[in-house]
Amino acid sequence: MTRALIAMLARQPTALRLLMLAVATLAALGLPWVLYPPVATDVLCWGLFAVSLDLLLGYTGLLSFGHAAFWGSAAYTTGLIALHLGAPFYLAVLGGAVAAALLAAPIGFLAVRRAGMYFAMVTLAFAQMVYFTANQWSSVTGGENGLQAIPRSLFGVDLSNSLTYYYAALPVIVLGLFGAWRVVHSPTGRVLLGIRENPDRVRALGYSTERFKLLIFVISAFLAGLAGGLYAINHGFASLQEVHWTTSGKVTVMTVLGGIGTLWGSLAGATVIVRLEDWLATAGFQHVELITGAIFILVVLLFRRGLWGAGARVFRVSRRQTETPAADGNRPHRQDPVPSPPIPPTRHNS
């Protein structure tokens, strides 16, 4: 029955997409009923953060070790707007995302001129500068104490209930994920894949690789800022941890764990890490990073394509196994050709 279902879905890709969309919708709506609502919101925030990094790493081939700068700067900006202006949290989150994109523009302008490990080191250096600024500018950021008691307001609607806040934040996450999907499946996404595979050929076709790298860098920072702002309001504070380099390492682990270049695999990686950290912390385990690191090593060694990539490969193999017998069964049997009767020799009259 399972093979028959796989074969049917393989023959009808539209039905497969609709089925996946329905499953994703039910999972998103039911997640806070399975997990503690603040943890469910964290899963979505970290998932969008990992998707934003996958736009760089998986589709452009750029590894950023400083993405925490955009996650954290948006968290601080969102908190400041909500605290001092009393703006609805949608506007506060949007303001934080715009601030992250503005910060990414000059950083990306300098970073995209390098490639490989040099790009990673440049982004890490700028992220450390952001961390130092947040630590020293205590009159604005609160220094080591951070911003506390960030309010949740939405035109008089009480969002103090964590379940209500989850469903209020869900549309922002969905729009961010749709934006990432649209970028990947656009002509710009094709150019980005070309830059990842062969940048010299892309230049030969007349495209400016630095311009496209800068564009995706800013888009990625904007999506990371959306996630960071929602995360800050969910917890009611923004601290130095949000701009620390370990945050960049954590989101990189999520992206690789889910599967580089799969986009939706980042959501799977974020779900595993956030849920595991919450479970271990609740159990009183003190060395959470030890367990998550061991799982990361096992996945890298056993599943080179990540969790999502491994699942997709299993589906493709099952599809081929179900299609081959059907194709052989419908193929007409080869019949040996009927020999033609011998042609009698022609006699010539003398």
Side-chain angles (χ1 to χ4, degrees):
M1 181 176 180
T2 303
R3 289 189 174 185
L5 178 61
I6 293 176
M8 183 191 69
L9 294 176
R11 291 192 298 268
Q12 299 178 356
T14 302
L16 176 60
R17 295 190 184 97
L18 292 176
L19 177 62
M20 294 180 63
L21 180 60
V23 171
T25 302
L26 291 177
L29 294 176
L31 188 63
W33 300 95
V34 178
L35 300 178
Y36 186 48
V39 177
T41 306
D42 283 353
V43 168
L44 295 184
C45 292
W46 281 102
L48 180 58
F49 190 20
V51 166
S52 71
L53 181 63
D54 197 30
L55 289 178
L56 285 179
L57 180 58
Y59 291 90
T60 319
L62 300 175
L63 174 58
S64 173
F65 279 158
H67 238 50
F70 313 121
W71 163 276
S73 62
Y76 276 111
T77 304
T78 300
L80 290 172
I81 293 175
L83 282 170
H84 299 293
L85 299 181
F89 92 94
Y90 284 134
L91 293 180
V93 170
L94 180 61
V98 171
L102 293 176
L103 177 63
I107 295 177
F109 180 78
L110 298 174
V112 297
R113 301 177 184 275
R114 299 291 180 264
M117 189 56 62
Y118 297 102
F119 176 87
M121 291 297 102
V122 170
T123 56
L124 177 60
F126 278 108
Q128 289 300 100
M129 292 174 60
V130 173
Y131 175 83
F132 178 80
T133 303
N135 189 25
Q136 297 298 318
W137 202 4
S138 57
S139 60
V140 176
T141 63
E144 295 182 355
N145 296 324
L147 296 178
Q148 302 180 12
I150 298 177
R152 302 176 185 176
S153 60
L154 182 61
F155 304 112
V157 178
D158 184 17
L159 296 179
S160 58
N161 184 278
S162 56
L163 183 63
T164 305
Y165 177 74
Y166 173 89
Y167 288 112
L170 183 60
V172 181
I173 299 292
V174 172
L175 288 176
L177 294 176
F178 175 77
W181 178 87
R182 190 66 188 89
V183 169
V184 169
H185 293 84
S186 68
T188 300
R190 300 295 181 266
V191 176
L192 296 176
L193 290 175
I195 293 174
R196 184 192 67 182
E197 299 298 332
N198 195 331
D200 293 333
R201 180 175 295 181
V202 174
R203 294 190 191 96
L205 292 174
Y207 294 99
S208 174
T209 57
E210 285 77 14
R211 184 178 302 173
F212 278 92
K213 287 180 181 179
L214 178 59
L215 175 63
I216 196 61
F217 192 83
V218 173
I219 293 175
S220 176
F222 180 84
L223 296 178
L226 283 179
L230 292 173
Y231 182 85
I233 294 183
N234 182 42
H235 289 267
F237 67 91
S239 65
L240 291 175
Q241 182 64 33
E242 317 311 329
V243 290
H244 198 260
W245 66 269
T246 54
T247 301
S248 298
K250 182 177 177 180
V251 72
T252 303
V253 169
M254 292 177 178
T255 305
V256 176
L257 182 64
I260 298 174
T262 59
L263 205 63
W264 309 124
S266 301
L267 290 171
T271 302
V272 171
I273 295 297
V274 174
R275 183 67 186 94
L276 184 62
E277 287 183 345
D278 177 68
W279 180 71
L280 291 175
T282 304
F285 190 77
Q286 300 296 327
H287 305 286
V288 178
E289 293 79 7
L290 180 64
I291 302 298
T292 56
I295 293 176
F296 174 72
I297 293 173
L298 289 176
V299 170
V300 170
L301 292 178
L302 301 178
F303 307 99
R304 298 295 181 89
R305 302 172 184 267
L307 298 176
W308 189 272
R313 183 181 180 185
V314 170
F315 177 80
R316 287 194 297 267
V317 172
S318 301
R319 183 181 64 182
R320 286 196 295 266
Q321 291 177 350
T322 53
E323 287 179 344
T324 301
D328 293 341
N330 296 329
R331 186 182 302 162
H333 294 287
R334 180 181 177 181
Q335 298 180 354
D336 295 333
V338 178
S340 301
I343 301 176
T346 304
R347 294 182 178 181
H348 298 280
N349 296 325
S350 56

